[in-house]
Amino acid sequence: MKSLIERITINPEICNGKPTIRGLRITVSTILEYLSAGETIENILKAYPMLEEEDIKACLEFAKAVTDKSFITYQINAL
């Protein structure tokens, strides 16, 4: 079974490299802003009919992973 977090993609050519849902031009931060403002999953899905409930859950899983520092690693190159 695939992890929900695999629905989150990061591509420098899309939304300036911000994490997006399945390569669509809908950022994780946009969905998190709706949720933090108290919006329901049902209303978000109505506003973005191309999304699925699993996409919203993937945003939450991604946010948890980032705050746990268990997902993103950084490579620093000296100039």
Side-chain angles (χ1 to χ4, degrees):
M1 184 170 122
K2 285 180 142 180
S3 169
L4 285 174
I5 208 164
E6 292 180 35
R7 291 175 170 260
I8 306 302
T9 56
I10 300 173
N11 181 337
E13 302 295 320
I14 301 173
C15 294
N16 295 316
K18 292 181 180 180
T20 61
I21 301 168
R22 294 185 285 123
L24 302 171
R25 295 188 178 277
I26 304 168
T27 64
V28 170
S29 62
T30 298
I31 300 305
L32 294 175
E33 286 174 22
Y34 277 114
L35 291 171
S36 68
E39 196 59 73
T40 65
I41 291 174
E42 293 79 18
N43 284 341
I44 295 170
L45 294 174
K46 285 178 188 175
Y48 296 94
M50 70 288 298
L51 295 181
E52 301 169 357
E53 186 172 346
E54 290 79 14
D55 296 324
I56 308 297
K57 292 177 182 177
C59 290
L60 293 170
E61 185 176 321
F62 182 83
K64 181 198 174 299
V66 169
T67 58
D68 282 349
K69 299 180 184 175
S70 62
F71 180 75
I72 295 182
T73 58
Y74 298 94
Q75 179 178 353
I76 301 173
N77 296 320
L79 297 177

